[in-house]
Amino acid sequence: MPSVSLVDVASYLPGDPVPTEYFTQFSRSERMAKNVMFRSPSGRHHVGRDETAVDMAERAFDVLRERHGADLAAEIDIIITHTQLPDNPVLGAAPELARRLGARPAQVLDVHNSGCAAFVQMMAMARMMMATSDAKTALIVAVQNCAGPVFTQPDIRKLAQAPVPGDGCGIGLLRKDDSAPILDIECRTYPEFAGDMDFTTNGTRKYWEPGEGQGCVSFSESKITKVFARGNRLVPEVALTVCDRIGVKGRDIDAFVTNQPNRLFLRNWHDALELPADRHPDTFDRCGNLFAAGIPVTLDVENQAGRLRNGSVVLLSAFAHAGDFAGAAAVRWGAGR
């Protein structure tokens, strides 16, 4: 397989930070609010009502264009997108994004099944597509845009989980070269867990039908306990599998970047790899749970702060939904740049 590199990342956060006090004025006392899964961050961002997923991706791409030149869009052969809340559920975001950027990719693709681990899955898909075609450049896009539209609904903003998510977009630029090579990727599907997360309108109405009820992702308290146990296991499991294959101990990884459901997961994951907390960066208190955008946004923040050294091994890992998908990837960061 020819080398494929993650040569750059960029991100975009919409609007002004939203303080936790916005939610506490509506909150109601309930048992689940004490659950470790829902301990809220200090802040988060919310996408505006009229700001689309493509708007967010375009603004993140503007950053890449500044770094790599005005003609960058013309170089892109593949665009793969993941949008948490598609503005157009029929078409998806990738074709419209290509049009906006002025790109003429041979392949555009929207993925949905991999949730919070979508950035890793999109890396795997882009690498495979580039290895088996003439494509030389790929753009992968992760948009989290359901915090503002969904979690501020009048009935939903009262719930324990409402303050945890935030909105944002993270994108990655991949090239068929060895400048910052992807060392290995592991993706696993666990279909037996696919039914443990529900999307409900809190009634009999289907989400596309007219009527009362506000849609939201839901877990029963017993399922939350199971999801927590799975997440604790799955992320280190796939991460250490990648470490074994590239010949690096977990404790020797230079930076470990994961999705960020809550602080307890973050602590348990770096403890499982025997890593100090300062080698497991996150943006949780600034941005909340960014779902699939968490990995690329955190990578961009760390990169812009100068905390990712060229030549270092950066390990990415995440699990999706109730544990039905997990993935990990290792990258030789910035090698040759």
Side-chain angles (χ1 to χ4, degrees), residues 65-265:
R65 188 157 20 207
E66 288 177 9
R67 295 178 195 158
H68 297 270
D71 296 330
L72 177 61
E75 302 175 28
I76 297 172
D77 301 305
I78 298 166
I79 296 179
I80 308 176
T81 59
H82 167 87
T83 306
Q84 192 67 30
L85 186 66
D87 297 291
N88 184 332
V90 177
L91 183 63
E96 171 64 10
L97 179 60
R99 186 189 71 80
R100 291 261 202 104
L101 300 183
R104 301 287 296 183
Q107 299 285 343
V108 296
L109 184 65
D110 286 276
V111 303
H112 196 68
N113 69 293
S114 46
C116 295
F119 196 76
V120 173
Q121 187 195 36
M122 290 188 289
M123 287 175 64
M125 296 176 75
R127 185 172 72 150
M128 180 174 61
M129 294 167 73
M130 295 168 79
T132 56
S133 71
D134 295 331
K136 296 180 180 178
T137 305
L139 182 71
I140 59 175
V141 179
V143 178
Q144 153 52 7
N145 61 340
C146 73
V150 174
F151 289 91
T152 62
Q153 296 176 96
D155 290 344
I156 307 304
R157 64 192 179 191
K158 304 172 185 178
L159 303 179
Q161 63 263 41
V164 179
D167 291 326
C169 175
I171 64 177
L173 182 65
L174 284 72
R175 294 192 191 277
K176 191 186 291 185
D177 63 27
D178 61 356
S179 60
I182 299 170
L183 304 175
D184 194 71
I185 300 178
E186 176 76 4
C187 290
R188 298 180 183 176
T189 300
Y190 303 87
E192 62 270 29
F193 304 142
D196 285 354
M197 187 183 80
D198 301 317
F199 186 86
T200 177
T201 59
N202 297 301
T204 59
R205 180 178 68 85
K206 304 294 186 183
Y207 78 87
W208 62 84
E209 293 176 333
E212 297 182 356
Q214 296 170 13
C216 190
V217 170
S218 67
F219 297 91
S220 69
E221 194 160 0
S222 62
K223 287 181 179 178
I224 288 172
T225 303
K226 294 176 182 177
V227 172
F228 187 73
R230 285 175 206 151
N232 275 335
R233 173 176 59 84
L234 292 176
V235 168
E237 192 174 88
V238 291
L240 290 171
T241 295
V242 168
C243 287
D244 287 343
R245 287 208 294 257
I246 66 172
V248 175
K249 298 290 186 184
R251 61 179 175 271
D252 295 327
I253 290 295
D254 296 297
F256 183 41
V257 181
T258 65
N259 66 313
Q260 49 191 37
N262 55 58
R263 295 184 191 89
L264 189 54
F265 268 133

Side-chain angles (χ1 to χ4, degrees), residues 9-11 13 67 281-283 286-287 290 294-308:
V9 290
S11 62
L13 298 172
R67 295 178 195 158
D282 67 84
T283 52
R286 173 183 170 187
C287 302
L290 285 170
I295 286 177
V297 168
T298 302
L299 275 175
D300 185 43
V301 168
E302 291 299 293
N303 190 39
Q304 295 311 305
R307 291 189 286 266
L308 298 179

